[in-house]
Amino acid sequence: MAKVLTAREVEQLLKSGGLAAIPAGVVLTPSARDSIAEFKRNGSTGTAPSKKGATAASGAKKKVEPSVPDYEFKWTPGSDPKTPEAIDAFFHSPEIEVLKERICDMGRRLWQRDYTDGNGGNITIRVGDNLALCTPTLICKGFMTPADMCLVDLDGNQLAGTRKRTSEAMTHFGIMKRQPAAKSCVHAHPPHATAFAIANVDIPSCLIPEAEVFLGKIGVAEYKTPGTPANADEVGEIGKIHQAVLMKNHGVICWGKDVEDAYWKMENIDSYCRTVWIAAGLGGGLHRFTGAQAKELINLRQKLGMPDPRSDLKECELCDSASFRPTVVCEVPPKESCGCDGGSPSADPDVEAVVKQVTDAILKQLRG
Ligand SMILES: [Zn+2]
């Protein structure tokens, strides 16, 4: 079992020897990872008892600028390690160990939410011009450890790691080679979104604002055998302009600037499909917002730096989901014909006539 390091232990190590002092193969708690990320940004963990920190603790509060954590892995172009020794050192470096642990975290979340079953699903993070970390083949995503991870080039050649890489990594690289902003891909088979993919039902748009902003227009890739170059090309072409891609008769692949960003898209698409499915069964129809309102959301998405193939469309073209077929809706019969209004048990004239005939015959016999 790998050793677990807490934030306090990590901060002490960083203070004594920087990132190099973090041993390879350890498991980091979420706050320990935050400490490493903070150290990378500022050169300190922010909680070490520095002179300034001591002043802050004594009352003179230091102004801390609010920020959004950035987990995107950035490398210097042209700096990929080349020799076996350099590749091995890179593969076991603290910054790569942090990413391996984050992949394990996302794997656990995929499995816990039922997005993967058996050995299904896979995760990649681009870590160089021609380098990516990826999950191995034939492993449950819920129970991976950093030692299971693989390092490959974008042609799928394995460079490091003791377990064989997933065959579906090539599908991820089909996107990464075409879309440089795709730094991480997550593939899974979340049941609600996959149900749309196997029922060949379009996912309707213009229903929930967050879906428009964070998923954008959902792409649909035609079915190709998983792991084949044809699948990589098909998904790559669709994924170039769509951050979430429904793979027909298969599942979903999403990409983001880091692995959590890509994972969030997976949650977004499955939640969206689940909500649409439930709403469609309520019988009240799906009430879309307008094309003008959709345009505002697409503009917001673009401001956040996310691509959307709808940016050039006119407002009237934005909420076109006419092909969506809601599920079967049970219609309640009109009140007057169901016999529940306290009146006659049946309003059917034929039944009424038979009842009258039988009644008359009985009365005639009784009188006779
Ligand atoms: Zn799959």
Side-chain angles (χ1 to χ4, degrees):
M1 188 98 181
K3 182 173 169 32
V4 178
L5 288 185
T6 64
R8 183 184 289 263
E9 290 166 330
V10 160
E11 283 166 16
Q12 281 169 351
L13 288 168
L14 290 171
K15 207 177 148 202
S16 63
L19 288 170
I22 309 290
V26 292
V27 173
L28 300 168
T29 64
S31 45
R33 285 198 301 278
D34 288 345
S35 294
I36 290 177
E38 176 74 14
F39 183 86
K40 281 199 220 165
R41 276 196 301 277
N42 302 328
S44 78
T45 59
T47 55
S50 64
K51 235 181 172 180
K52 277 183 185 172
T55 313
S58 64
K61 276 198 173 171
K62 183 184 157 201
K63 185 166 173 14
V64 179
E65 284 303 317
S67 63
V68 177
D70 182 5
Y71 298 118
E72 182 175 345
F73 187 86
K74 297 179 177 106
W75 66 89
T76 308
S79 68
D80 286 2
K82 295 285 187 295
T83 65
E85 296 75 22
I87 288 170
D88 190 64
F90 176 73
F91 186 57
H92 293 101
S93 62
E95 52 267 44
I96 294 299
E97 292 297 336
V98 168
L99 297 183
K100 290 177 188 172
E101 181 56 34
R102 286 180 69 75
I103 290 177
C104 296
D105 270 356
M106 297 311 129
R108 269 190 289 278
R109 288 160 73 172
L110 287 171
W111 183 80
Q112 282 168 345
R113 293 197 63 130
D114 257 351
Y115 294 172
T116 63
D117 56 288
N119 65 304
N122 25 73
I123 301 171
T124 52
I125 302 178
R126 191 167 178 184
V127 291
D129 297 335
N130 190 25
L131 287 176
L133 282 176
C134 74
T135 47
T137 190
L138 294 174
I139 194 167
C140 170
K141 300 302 156 308
F143 300 88
M144 299 184 296
T145 70
D148 295 322
M149 297 304 127
C150 315
L151 183 72
V152 295
D153 67 24
L154 298 194
D155 293 319
N157 301 304
Q158 187 149 350
L159 305 173
T162 53
R163 292 191 61 140
K164 191 176 182 317
R165 63 127 173 122
T166 169
S167 62
E168 285 189 286
M170 295 313 295
T171 312
H172 301 218
F173 303 152
I175 297 175
M176 288 179 182
K177 284 179 178 177
R178 292 169 171 87
Q179 173 54 271
K183 294 285 190 69
S184 176
C185 292
V186 172
H187 164 59
H189 313 136
H192 304 91
T194 304
F196 278 76
I198 63 174
N200 199 19
V201 171
D202 280 353
I203 301 176
S205 60
C206 299
L207 292 167
I208 298 177
E210 283 83 354
E212 303 302 327
V213 174
F214 295 111
L215 286 170
K217 170 85 175 156
I218 296 164
V220 179
E222 292 301 321
Y223 177 80
K224 307 281 176 191
T225 304
T228 60
N231 195 44
D233 283 342
E234 170 69 14
V235 173
E237 282 300 313
I238 305 296
K240 186 168 65 179
I241 49 169
H242 299 87
Q243 270 194 287
V245 178
L246 207 57
M247 300 159 75
K248 277 191 182 173
N249 293 92
H250 185 166
V252 177
I253 189 164
C254 301
W255 62 261
K257 69 183 185 61
D258 59 63
V259 67
E260 185 152 10
D261 187 29
Y263 167 77
W264 282 350
K265 308 279 178 284
M266 192 64 74
E267 283 194 0
N268 292 150
I269 189 170
D270 202 58
S271 269
Y272 185 68
C273 290
R274 185 174 54 183
T275 307
V276 168
W277 169 57
I278 295 169
L282 294 179
L286 298 180
H287 298 274
R288 296 187 170 87
F289 40 76
T290 66
Q293 289 166 327
K295 188 82 181 167
E296 280 180 31
L297 298 168
I298 292 166
N299 291 342
L300 186 58
R301 179 173 166 79
Q302 286 187 298
K303 269 188 204 155
L304 292 170
M306 296 185 276
D308 197 312
R310 301 174 295 181
S311 50
D312 295 329
L313 293 182
K314 294 186 192 114
E315 288 179 6
C316 60
E317 298 171 300
L318 290 175
C319 294
D320 180 21
S321 306
S323 58
F324 176 67
R325 301 185 301 275
T327 186
V328 174
V329 175
C330 298
E331 292 213 1
V332 179
K335 206 176 174 189
E336 58 273 14
S337 67
C338 73
C340 301
D341 56 357
S344 164
S346 170
D348 188 328
D350 293 340
V351 175
E352 294 290 308
V354 171
V355 170
K356 189 172 185 313
Q357 268 182 13
V358 171
T359 310
D360 289 350
I362 292 170
L363 287 173
K364 202 176 171 184
Q365 271 190 4
L366 287 173
R367 283 172 197 147

